[in-house]
Amino acid sequence: MTNSQFTLLKKTFLLSSLSLLALPVFSADNSTQHTIAELVDAVNGTPDKASREAGKKVKLRNHAKGFCTSGKFEPNMALQETLNIPFFKQEEINVVARFSLGGTNINASDKGSGRFMSLKIDGDAGSINFVTSNAQPFFANNLDDFFIFQNKVKQGAAGKQWLKDNKPHAKAFFDYVEQRPTSASFENNRYFGVNSFLFKTQKNDIAPGRWFFEPVKGDNNLSKAELAKMPDDFLKETLLSSIEKDPAVWNLYIKLAQAGDEINDPTIVWPESRQRLLVGQLIINGERDKAPLTQQCGDTIFNPVLLPEGISVSADPILNARTPAYVESFVRRL
């Protein structure tokens, strides 16, 4: 694909996505509380017109520090014995991946423990995108609390303490993050999709579940002494140099809900004892890193509700706000 073709594709995507911005955004009590623009402002830290315009000039975005690479996905054909998802019948599917840190600071230090992995997997029977992180719980289960969280964390230590004192879900998230080790590479993390999706079974039933990626190479965490010796920028080079010799590999699973599990609340972590289904294997090897779709993947969005036949969204309000918020952020960067 040439650069001009990519630009045309991006414009076509934009025109087809703008209608999402008109969708209402509901809070926990089902009343419209925050517009998509307000939610993006909360994430970006742009509460007024002046800061918003300044943000547009520098193309402000969340997950600002990141890079793209490529690989493939090899489905587990045995999955079709349980689930009816034609997309996963293809033997090998191209993948574009973006690994990133959280936040709007493009110069953020890699010494924090947060890691994010987003994927575009485009096959013969449709496409699917993933938006995942190495945090298993989310910090809010409704858009009011999401809005409050984003504004309070911009206030530094005082705002964080307020959240710990007043928002139990935020406190649980911080407790999780504070004990999470710092990995030596993007490839040494479990990545979780905190939101639930609905999967069609071979019996035409619906099975709620959540995605998670398990690294085949396991954990490789840095001690405090090792971390202190690392530069602020080591993650990109570590991964890209590693996959030149040996691909980074994850097994993708669906963790299935059990009767009584809360489907629409991403702050609740289901027990490890829940049944899981092997979907296939993600292999990041950099084989198409020079292709325009890879080199320019940071200029697009990863749409978590772009789903193939056999998968649909749950009623999770956080999930259903993601795509219009991503589109709003994307439009501001044009």
Side-chain angles (χ1 to χ4, degrees), residues 6 38 72 99 185 275:
F6 180 84
E38 288 172 337
K72 60 185 178 180
F99 294 91
S185 172
Q275 180 186 0

Side-chain angles (χ1 to χ4, degrees), residues 67 69-70 97-101 113-117 119 132 134 182-191 213-222 234-251 282-286:
F67 63 94
T69 184
S70 59
R98 187 172 191 268
F99 294 91
S100 66
L101 305 182
S113 65
R115 308 282 186 259
F116 297 81
M117 179 175 74
L119 305 171
T132 66
N134 64 341
T182 300
S183 62
S185 172
F186 277 113
E187 69 178 314
N188 300 121
N189 297 270
R190 297 177 83 195
Y191 290 100
F213 292 84
E214 189 83 44
V216 169
K217 295 179 184 178
D219 298 330
N220 181 15
N221 299 318
L222 298 171
F234 67 90
L235 287 172
K236 179 178 179 179
E237 177 59 28
T238 298
L239 181 66
L240 294 184
S241 61
S242 175
I243 63 175
E244 287 182 357
K245 307 164 191 171
D246 188 28
V249 182
W250 290 263
N251 288 326
L282 170 67
I283 301 167
I284 298 299
N285 53 23

Side-chain angles (χ1 to χ4, degrees), residues 128-315:
I128 189 169
N129 289 188
F130 292 88
V131 177
T132 66
S133 81
N134 64 341
Q136 194 165 9
F138 201 60
F139 51 79
N141 61 3
N142 64 76
L143 297 176
D144 290 336
D145 282 352
F146 178 92
F147 183 82
I148 291 169
F149 181 94
Q150 295 294 345
N151 280 295
K152 286 294 182 181
V153 294
K154 306 298 187 296
Q155 298 172 8
K160 181 177 177 180
Q161 189 59 52
W162 186 94
L163 287 165
K164 285 186 171 183
D165 293 340
N166 294 278
K167 295 293 181 181
H169 298 316
K171 181 182 185 305
F173 173 80
F174 286 129
D175 289 346
Y176 178 94
V177 168
E178 287 165 5
Q179 59 80 39
R180 178 180 58 191
T182 300
S183 62
S185 172
F186 277 113
E187 69 178 314
N188 300 121
N189 297 270
R190 297 177 83 195
Y191 290 100
F192 304 95
V194 298
N195 307 115
S196 300
F197 292 85
L198 307 178
F199 300 92
K200 184 179 179 181
T201 73
Q202 287 292 352
K203 297 180 180 180
N204 290 322
D205 295 324
I206 296 298
R210 292 175 179 169
W211 308 107
F212 74 93
F213 292 84
E214 189 83 44
V216 169
K217 295 179 184 178
D219 298 330
N220 181 15
N221 299 318
L222 298 171
S223 68
K224 289 184 178 180
E226 290 171 328
L227 186 62
K229 297 177 182 178
M230 299 298 289
D232 285 322
D233 300 286
F234 67 90
L235 287 172
K236 179 178 179 179
E237 177 59 28
T238 298
L239 181 66
L240 294 184
S241 61
S242 175
I243 63 175
E244 287 182 357
K245 307 164 191 171
D246 188 28
V249 182
W250 290 263
N251 288 326
L252 171 60
Y253 293 95
I254 298 170
K255 180 190 282 189
L256 295 177
Q258 190 171 290
D261 285 337
E262 178 53 59
I263 305 304
N264 302 318
D265 186 343
T267 67
I268 295 178
V269 176
W270 301 340
E272 290 296 322
S273 59
R274 295 293 180 265
Q275 180 186 0
R276 64 184 193 176
L277 300 176
L278 176 62
V279 181
Q281 198 162 76
L282 170 67
I283 301 167
I284 298 299
N285 53 23
E287 62 185 1
R288 293 185 318 285
D289 280 6
K290 294 183 179 180
L293 284 177
T294 303
Q295 294 189 343
Q296 302 183 59
C297 90
D299 295 330
T300 63
I301 69 168
F302 292 80
N303 180 357
V305 300
L306 177 63
L307 300 168
E309 178 187 351
I311 310 175
S312 57
V313 297
S314 66

Side-chain angles (χ1 to χ4, degrees), residues 14 33-34 46 52 63 67 97 100 118 126 144 188 200 206 259 308 321-322:
L14 175 60
Q33 295 291 323
H34 302 293
T46 54
R52 191 176 303 119
H63 304 288
F67 63 94
S100 66
S118 298
D144 290 336
N188 300 121
K200 184 179 179 181
I206 296 298
R322 283 184 183 271

Side-chain angles (χ1 to χ4, degrees), residues 17-30:
S17 301
L18 284 176
S19 60
L20 292 169
L21 299 180
L23 294 175
V25 181
F26 296 104
S27 65
D29 62 0
N30 213 35

